[in-house]
Amino acid sequence: MTHATMITLAGRPVGRVGYGTMRLTGPNALGEPDRPDELVALLRTAVDSGVRLIDTAGYYGPSVANRLVARALAPYPEELVIATKIGAARTPDGGFRPDTSPESLRRQVEQNLRELRLDCLPLVHFRYLPGGPTPFLDVLSLMIDFQREGLIGELGLSHVTVEQFDQAAALTPVASVENQARFGAAEPDPVLARTAEASIPYLAYRPLENGALLRTDGPLRRLAGETGIAPATLALAWLLDRSPNLVVIPGTTSADHLAENLAAADVVLDDRLRHALTEGN
Ligand SMILES: NC(=O)c1ccc[n+]([C@@H]2O[C@H](COP(=O)([O-])OP(=O)(O)OC[C@H]3O[C@@H](n4cnc5c(N)ncnc54)[C@H](OP(=O)(O)O)[C@@H]3O)[C@@H](O)[C@H]2O)c1
């Protein structure tokens, strides 16, 4: 079976390979990139090649990824879903911290609207990090307020457990979950099955483990040699094979890599290849 079918996200059909913008910045998702014009061209190529989901955040750069997205793609084609995130901020050492005071959440929504040049953010994920000043469900209540004001369209969750998903879903419709799904993991993230039951997309972030997966001389490389399919294509196809509601959102700064990543939607994993990829890890 190929993974070339479309699934519905924020009311629009999207393919199962999206694009993540975290790498459009300087190193460690901070600062300006060396060649912004090339990245603008790459974003346009992505959409021309069929990408229908761009995953971004105001805290990539900060502001750098959002501005490149707007420069490349605004005004956005009707069929494109721009998904962003709130609830996190950067630390001076390049890490992430929770940022969930009511004032700050509103500021983050306004920042995304301004930088992405939108009147309404179609899909906003609450990027949960432990230790924020506002309880989990209170953040969602604030996001529902933003929805009522027309500032955000649909509401999603990121980096959550099944328990958090269930609590949120009891309060409000959840459009999608963005969690990390690991290539080769014996047991999938339990949230994947929960989102499948709820018939909503599961967006698998950092699906190539930030490239680390492809740098090791393991079974992916060997099987790529045997099949003639690029290692990244194989890894993404393996993830897509886990569940029909899973969408991968790899990030890349290379047009060749973009093509390899998009090719994952067309790869058919037979039992032998699925087994070899799974067992090899
Ligand atoms: N919700 C969250 O908390 C969260 C957290 C992390 C990430 N994300 C989202 O997930 C997206 C993806 O994560 P990520 O960008 O950190 O990591 P990733 O997609 O797992 O890996 C990106 C890295 O892999 C390389 N790469 C991509 N395609 C390749 C290919 N075909 N062959 C060889 N190398 C390839 C890229 O280098 P090149 O540029 O050279 O291709 C880049 O260094 C982010 O952009 C972001 O949108 C969300």
Side-chain angles (χ1 to χ4, degrees), residues 147-204:
Q147 234 174 357
R148 292 200 180 110
E149 287 178 56
L151 303 177
I152 75 179
E154 302 208 19
L155 188 159
L157 302 168
S158 179
H159 204 70
V160 290
T161 62
V162 169
E163 292 69 28
Q164 287 171 317
F165 174 81
D166 286 342
Q167 286 173 9
L171 183 71
T172 184
V174 176
S176 48
V177 171
E178 185 173 313
N179 272 12
Q180 186 166 19
R182 289 183 187 277
F183 168 74
E187 292 300 325
D189 172 8
V191 178
L192 177 58
R194 196 72 193 83
T195 53
E197 277 166 30
S199 301
I200 61 167
Y202 176 104
L203 314 186

Side-chain angles (χ1 to χ4, degrees), residues 20 22-23 55 127 158 178 208 210 251-253 257 260-261:
M22 194 166 172
R23 305 288 141 200
D55 178 71
R127 203 315 181 175
S158 179
E178 185 173 313
L208 301 172
N210 192 17
T252 181
T253 55
H257 289 171
E260 288 179 2
N261 299 346

Side-chain angles (χ1 to χ4, degrees), residues 205-257:
Y205 77 64
R206 196 163 280 177
L208 301 172
E209 293 181 16
N210 192 17
L213 204 55
L214 312 170
R215 289 191 285 272
T216 47
D217 199 11
L220 258 184
R221 284 223 191 145
R222 181 174 54 76
L223 289 163
E226 275 176 39
T227 58
I229 302 171
T233 312
L234 282 178
L236 296 173
W238 186 93
L239 285 168
L240 293 177
D241 191 56
R242 288 229 110 158
S243 179
N245 70 322
L246 188 146
V247 174
V248 289
I249 49 169
T252 181
T253 55
S254 144
D256 289 346
H257 289 171

Side-chain angles (χ1 to χ4, degrees), residues 10-274:
R12 297 180 184 84
V14 299
R16 297 191 56 204
V17 181
Y19 179 90
T21 67
M22 194 166 172
R23 305 288 141 200
L24 293 176
T25 63
N28 200 20
L30 286 171
E32 299 290 339
D34 288 339
R35 293 187 294 278
D37 292 352
E38 285 178 21
L39 299 178
V40 164
L42 182 76
L43 280 164
R44 291 179 180 150
T45 302
V47 174
D48 289 346
S49 309
V51 166
R52 293 291 173 264
L53 165 64
I54 305 280
D55 178 71
T56 189
Y59 50 82
Y60 295 163
S63 301
V64 174
N66 274 358
R67 287 192 186 129
L68 282 173
V69 168
R71 196 181 135 202
L73 302 172
Y76 303 100
E78 185 53 36
E79 62 273 20
L80 188 64
V81 176
I82 305 289
T84 190
K85 297 180 273 297
I86 60 172
R90 305 309 298 267
T91 55
D93 64 356
F96 296 87
R97 64 171 175 84
D99 190 13
T100 57
S101 72
E103 305 72 33
S104 184
L105 288 167
R106 181 172 288 279
R107 255 198 317 275
Q108 290 169 64
V109 168
E110 288 167 355
Q111 174 198 357
N112 276 286
L113 286 166
R114 191 173 58 249
E115 290 170 357
L116 291 167
R117 298 187 217 154
L118 283 165
D119 297 326
C120 174
L121 300 167
L123 173 60
V124 180
H125 291 97
F126 166 31
R127 203 315 181 175
Y128 173 74
L129 283 159
T134 308
F136 181 75
L137 288 181
D138 291 358
V139 172
L140 296 177
S141 296
L142 289 162
M143 289 177 74
I144 294 167
D145 289 345
F146 300 145
Q147 234 174 357
R148 292 200 180 110
E149 287 178 56
L151 303 177
I152 75 179
E154 302 208 19
L155 188 159
L157 302 168
S158 179
H159 204 70
V160 290
T161 62
V162 169
E163 292 69 28
Q164 287 171 317
F165 174 81
D166 286 342
Q167 286 173 9
L171 183 71
T172 184
V174 176
S176 48
V177 171
E178 185 173 313
N179 272 12
Q180 186 166 19
R182 289 183 187 277
F183 168 74
E187 292 300 325
D189 172 8
V191 178
L192 177 58
R194 196 72 193 83
T195 53
E197 277 166 30
S199 301
I200 61 167
Y202 176 104
L203 314 186
Y205 77 64
R206 196 163 280 177
L208 301 172
E209 293 181 16
N210 192 17
L213 204 55
L214 312 170
R215 289 191 285 272
T216 47
D217 199 11
L220 258 184
R221 284 223 191 145
R222 181 174 54 76
L223 289 163
E226 275 176 39
T227 58
I229 302 171
T233 312
L234 282 178
L236 296 173
W238 186 93
L239 285 168
L240 293 177
D241 191 56
R242 288 229 110 158
S243 179
N245 70 322
L246 188 146
V247 174
V248 289
I249 49 169
T252 181
T253 55
S254 144
D256 289 346
H257 289 171
L258 173 71
E260 288 179 2
N261 299 346
L262 285 167
D266 296 316
V267 169
V268 179
L269 291 189
D270 59 22
D271 288 346
R272 191 199 70 81
L273 189 50
R274 182 184 303 108

